[in-house]
Amino acid sequence: MTGTTMTRPRRDGKNPTVGKGRGVPRLLTRVAVFAVIAAVPPLLFDDYWVFMAAQVLAFAVATLGLDILYGRTGQMSLAHASFMGVGAYTTYVMANHGYGPVMQLAAVIGVALVAALVVSVPTLRLSGMRLALVTLAFGELLAWAIRNTTDLTGGTQGASVDPFLFGRLDSSEPLHAYLIALVPAAIATAFAVHLGRTQLGRRMLAIRDSELAAESVGVAVARTKITAFLISAVYAGVAGWLYAGITGFIAPPDFDLFASVYLFVAVVIGGAGTVLGAWLGASYVVLMPEVFTLAGQPNLYPIVGGALLAIVALVVPDGIVGLGRNVWRRIRGVRGDEEESK
């Protein structure tokens, strides 16, 4: 059979360009849906709820980062809020030295990367609860540093942060804060969606399922885990930058162990491993405390959060997104059976 070219037959025999053609309308649909949802808060709600929506955008960046680390790579971290604190206090220090929001953001990303390397490199062989304990120690060390550097960070009394100024946009105005936060939230979401389609994203999923199996098929486990940690830390740092500029005030309790636990609970309840779940989790973290406060029962939020986590872990381990998918599949199955019966 010399002179002939052997080609591997395709399983479905379809033109490879068909899938790409279908991807464009799907992408445009998702962009349109995101734009419509993003337009709802400023059009339908007053300034207070627009301000809350801006916080949801900031926390969505944080939960998307934690979802990359935990939901996709399977690495548990109890210091994600601490990395938000790294971003927030770096923003505060840079603002005090006269730097604008762009330079603040650049410094936040740099400091977050260094902090993530300090935590991730020594813990390459750790996972699960052992890794969680190491990240917990980092969070406690950061909290101690903030409390004992009053001249630099404001200490236990907290610190006021100058608002962001982008041309005519001033983050002290709720609508402007929402528009400012919308851009990094959209970029973070697009990157998270794209990551799932890359080789890196698939390696993360392989490590989440089994580190031993992933290593046996040639996945660079250590490098992939460090990369996931770095990406997650940058997401958290950017979220802290947004939080500082939007709220205008930061304090140690905003980034302590409880804040990290709330972020972890949010990702699990929303649906670990999914972008939509991260957004649902961010909405939960920001809006649920306000709901209980408006109802006159602010102390019930931690109790309800713990109960929801237990229920989700036992009944719907895939979170709200997983529950919605299962319901949709059942509905489609019922419709299919009805059509066949006809």
Side-chain angles (χ1 to χ4, degrees):
M1 299 179 64
T2 57
T4 61
T5 301
M6 297 297 292
T7 58
R8 185 177 180 179
R10 299 184 181 275
R11 294 182 179 180
D12 54 5
K14 294 181 180 179
N15 190 328
T17 60
V18 172
K20 296 180 181 180
R22 292 178 179 175
V24 174
R26 184 180 300 176
L27 175 62
L28 293 177
T29 301
R30 291 179 177 179
V31 171
V33 171
F34 184 87
V36 170
I37 295 174
V40 170
L43 292 178
L44 299 183
F45 299 106
D46 58 21
D47 284 349
Y48 175 77
W49 290 106
V50 171
F51 172 72
M52 298 305 298
Q55 290 193 57
V56 170
L57 294 175
F59 275 90
V61 177
T63 52
L64 284 167
L66 183 57
D67 184 69
I68 290 173
L69 181 63
Y70 173 72
R72 304 191 189 191
T73 318
Q75 306 304 302
M76 184 179 294
S77 172
L78 293 178
H80 201 65
S82 300
F83 283 103
M84 282 187 66
V86 169
Y89 278 98
T90 301
T91 301
Y92 169 70
V93 172
M94 292 292 289
N96 284 349
H97 285 80
Y99 292 100
V102 175
M103 291 300 298
Q104 294 169 17
L105 179 59
V108 163
I109 293 174
V111 174
L113 286 172
V114 172
L117 284 172
V118 169
V119 176
S120 61
V121 172
T123 59
L124 287 177
R125 298 184 180 277
L126 300 182
S127 59
M129 289 304 301
R130 289 180 295 177
L131 177 61
L133 290 175
V134 173
T135 58
L136 173 61
F138 168 77
E140 292 301 313
L141 180 61
L142 178 67
W144 175 86
I146 293 173
R147 290 194 300 267
N148 290 276
T149 53
T150 304
D151 295 338
L152 181 65
T153 64
T156 57
Q157 300 300 315
S160 298
V161 183
D162 295 335
F164 296 152
L165 296 176
F166 290 96
R168 295 183 179 181
L169 296 180
D170 184 343
S171 65
S172 62
E173 297 290 331
L175 178 58
H176 294 180
Y178 179 81
L179 295 176
I180 291 172
L182 186 61
V183 175
I187 295 174
T189 302
F191 179 83
V193 171
H194 176 70
L195 181 63
R197 302 172 181 173
T198 64
Q199 288 290 340
L200 175 60
R202 286 187 280 272
R203 290 198 295 267
M204 289 178 179
L205 293 177
I207 292 173
R208 181 193 66 183
D209 295 337
S210 172
E211 289 190 23
L212 183 61
E215 190 171 9
S216 67
V217 296
V219 174
V221 174
R223 184 171 61 189
T224 304
K225 289 168 65 174
I226 291 177
T227 303
F229 212 101
L230 292 176
I231 295 173
S232 176
V234 169
Y235 268 67
V238 173
W241 171 73
L242 285 174
Y243 180 83
I246 291 171
T247 63
F249 184 82
I250 54 176
D254 295 334
F255 314 107
D256 61 7
L257 172 61
F258 290 103
S260 293
V261 171
Y262 290 147
L263 289 173
F264 177 77
V265 170
V267 170
V268 174
I269 290 177
T274 64
V275 172
L276 178 58
W279 273 93
L280 293 175
S283 301
Y284 167 83
V285 165
V286 175
L287 299 180
M288 285 301 290
E290 293 301 313
V291 170
F292 282 104
T293 300
L294 293 176
Q297 300 292 335
N299 295 327
L300 285 180
Y301 169 64
I303 299 174
V304 173
L308 280 176
L309 178 61
I311 293 172
V312 168
L314 294 174
V315 181
V316 278
D318 294 331
I320 297 174
V321 172
L323 177 62
R325 286 175 176 172
N326 291 334
V327 171
W328 177 245
R329 287 170 184 167
R330 290 184 181 182
I331 293 175
R332 291 184 62 182
V334 171
R335 289 180 178 177
D337 293 339
E338 291 177 351
E339 290 178 359
E340 290 180 1
S341 63
K342 291 180 181 179

